[in-house]
Amino acid sequence: MSSDKLLPWAKPLLISSTLTQATIYVLRPMITYRALELDANAAQIGLIASVYALFPVLLALQFGKWVGRMGEAKFIIYGTLAMLVTSAGLMGANSILWLSIAAACAGTAHLACMVGGQSMVALRAPRESYDKYFGFYTFSASVGHMLGPIVAAVVAGSNGNLPKSTSNAFLLGVVLTILALFPVIRWRNERPTVVAQQNSEGTYKTALNLVKRPGILAAIYISLAISSAADVLVVFLPLFGAENNFSPYAVGAILAIRAGTTMLSRLFLGKLSERFTTFQLLWWSTVISVISCAAMAFAHTPLTLGLIVFVAGFSLGIGQPLTMSLVSQKTQSEERALAVSARLMGNRLGQFLVPAAAGIAAAASGAGAVFIGLAVLLGSSLFSVKKE
């Protein structure tokens, strides 16, 4: 990625995105570990993961409306500030209830950063460069996803199959969010790039009409399946590791491998798009993801799991930026923030429902059953991939 070819707003956005995504990938596995410290069972861990997405499901469309009034840049700043406060709050989370509330706050803050960041790309990037800029944006996220678990594992330390101090990792989240504010804080007085149109129909009806357009609902469902699979992997790999006596270092390394190969696929997405059609990329990447997720259930050494996750990370990385690009191409500029939010609402709906189901499956049959469930979910999204 050559930074001198980027538009001026892109570099601060990508740096801040890397740091906020690293923060969320510090917080989420550590929330699972803190839950284990509090003697939570698999079902409770699944419930906490679902609560993370509950408020974003309810607020996503409103966020899209507010971005159109307040501006995408301010949303990034407010989201990052909220993530900072949440990271500090997690340090004192000594009950399942407190942990659940903090997880919900983390999910809402993260959503604000995502809506702001994706709206900025959708509104400021040239239409013919959507694949490239969404590829860069999701690439920056993957850098954070790779670095977050590694740094968190080092900072938290190891005490057998649990971290020595999850509080240290939450403090790391505070530091990362402060750093994330530096590149974007000068945008605090910016106005919206495109002011959202006033709709007499209301936000929800307008969003429903957007979703009915050809291709948008399919893009939202594919995105839901991929984001839910990636999300559940982050939450349940620590549990799977604990069941199979993997150290937190090994789990952190495996999470980093997933993010690293996802990063690679997004870095070269522009080149892949020149060689293959969107249909071919979505179809084959999803097929490979299905096979990889099913294979994870039978991997009982860190090396085997790491090799499978290497493949899964690459294939899972392709779908998300393509669906962002599809949704942006099929909407007008004044509708785009709401369309971005509708897509994110779908993602969060999946991240609310799927972890809860995964928790029930893990409680009944072990964490390996979760990976089979993810393969089924991803397989169902293949019916949404259309040539047109």
Side-chain angles (χ1 to χ4, degrees), residues 7-367:
L7 292 170
W9 51 268
K11 190 173 181 180
L13 172 66
L14 297 181
I15 294 172
S16 180
S17 170
T18 297
L19 291 165
T20 51
Q21 295 292 344
T23 303
I24 209 67
Y25 268 62
V26 168
L27 299 186
R28 298 210 67 196
M30 289 299 154
I31 287 174
T32 299
Y33 280 126
R34 177 63 66 91
L36 290 172
E37 289 171 1
L38 295 170
D39 295 325
N41 57 35
Q44 288 173 317
I45 289 172
L47 183 62
I48 292 170
S50 293
V51 167
Y52 168 84
L54 175 61
F55 286 106
V57 169
L58 301 174
L59 293 172
L61 292 180
Q62 287 302 319
F63 276 15
K65 179 180 174 183
W66 294 339
V67 164
R69 294 178 179 173
M70 298 166 57
E72 62 277 10
K74 287 180 183 172
F75 238 72
I76 294 170
I77 295 171
Y78 295 155
T80 307
L81 283 170
M83 204 177 289
L84 190 162
V85 173
T86 302
S87 300
L90 277 164
M91 294 169 66
N94 291 317
S95 70
I96 298 296
L97 177 61
W98 188 345
L99 201 58
S100 301
I101 293 171
C105 293
T108 306
H110 185 233
L111 176 72
C113 294
M114 297 279 286
V115 171
Q118 291 184 25
S119 296
M120 183 171 285
V121 176
L123 293 170
R124 300 188 186 188
R127 182 180 285 263
E128 65 275 12
S129 301
Y130 275 153
D131 283 358
K132 171 185 164 185
Y133 275 90
F134 278 120
F136 285 167
Y137 179 71
T138 50
F139 167 81
S140 72
S142 297
V143 174
H145 297 172
M146 182 182 69
L147 295 178
I150 294 174
V151 181
V154 172
V155 170
S158 175
N159 186 16
N161 60 354
L162 290 176
K164 191 177 292 182
S165 173
T166 47
S167 292
N168 285 351
F170 294 138
L171 179 60
L172 171 65
V174 172
V175 174
L176 289 173
T177 46
I178 291 172
L179 294 174
L181 281 171
F182 280 107
V184 298
I185 195 68
R186 60 191 166 90
W187 294 342
R188 61 189 178 279
N189 296 320
E190 282 197 5
R191 299 179 64 79
T193 300
V194 177
V195 177
Q197 60 186 6
Q198 297 293 320
N199 294 297
S200 57
E201 294 177 326
T203 303
Y204 289 97
K205 191 167 183 181
T206 305
L208 187 60
N209 290 334
L210 280 176
V211 168
K212 287 178 179 175
R213 291 184 192 172
I216 291 188
L217 184 59
I220 288 175
Y221 184 70
I222 296 165
S223 179
L224 178 157
I226 295 171
S227 67
S228 299
D231 192 64
V232 166
L233 286 179
V234 173
V235 174
F236 281 88
L237 272 176
L239 180 63
F240 186 77
E243 286 180 357
N244 289 278
N245 294 317
F246 298 175
S247 73
Y249 294 130
V251 172
I254 291 168
L255 287 172
I257 288 171
R258 188 205 68 78
T261 53
T262 293
M263 184 177 67
L264 275 180
S265 66
R266 289 170 176 175
L267 181 62
F268 294 106
L269 183 61
K271 297 291 183 188
L272 290 171
S273 296
E274 291 172 6
R275 185 173 179 82
F276 302 102
T277 66
T278 299
F279 168 77
Q280 289 171 326
L281 287 172
L282 277 177
W283 175 267
W284 284 109
S285 64
T286 306
V287 167
I288 294 169
S289 297
V290 169
I291 296 170
S292 302
C293 282
M296 286 180 205
F298 306 99
H300 295 298
T301 68
L303 178 60
T304 310
L305 186 59
L307 289 172
I308 296 170
V309 166
F310 182 94
V311 177
F314 192 91
S315 57
L316 285 169
I318 290 174
Q320 285 283 33
L322 287 180
T323 58
M324 291 178 193
S325 178
L326 283 171
V327 167
S328 299
Q329 287 173 7
K330 292 178 180 297
T331 52
Q332 301 299 315
S333 58
E334 65 273 15
E335 303 169 327
R336 220 159 277 155
L338 189 59
V340 164
S341 298
R343 177 186 160 281
L344 285 170
M345 179 181 171
N347 287 0
R348 291 299 189 262
L349 182 62
Q351 289 167 0
F352 172 64
L353 296 175
V354 176
I360 294 170
S365 307

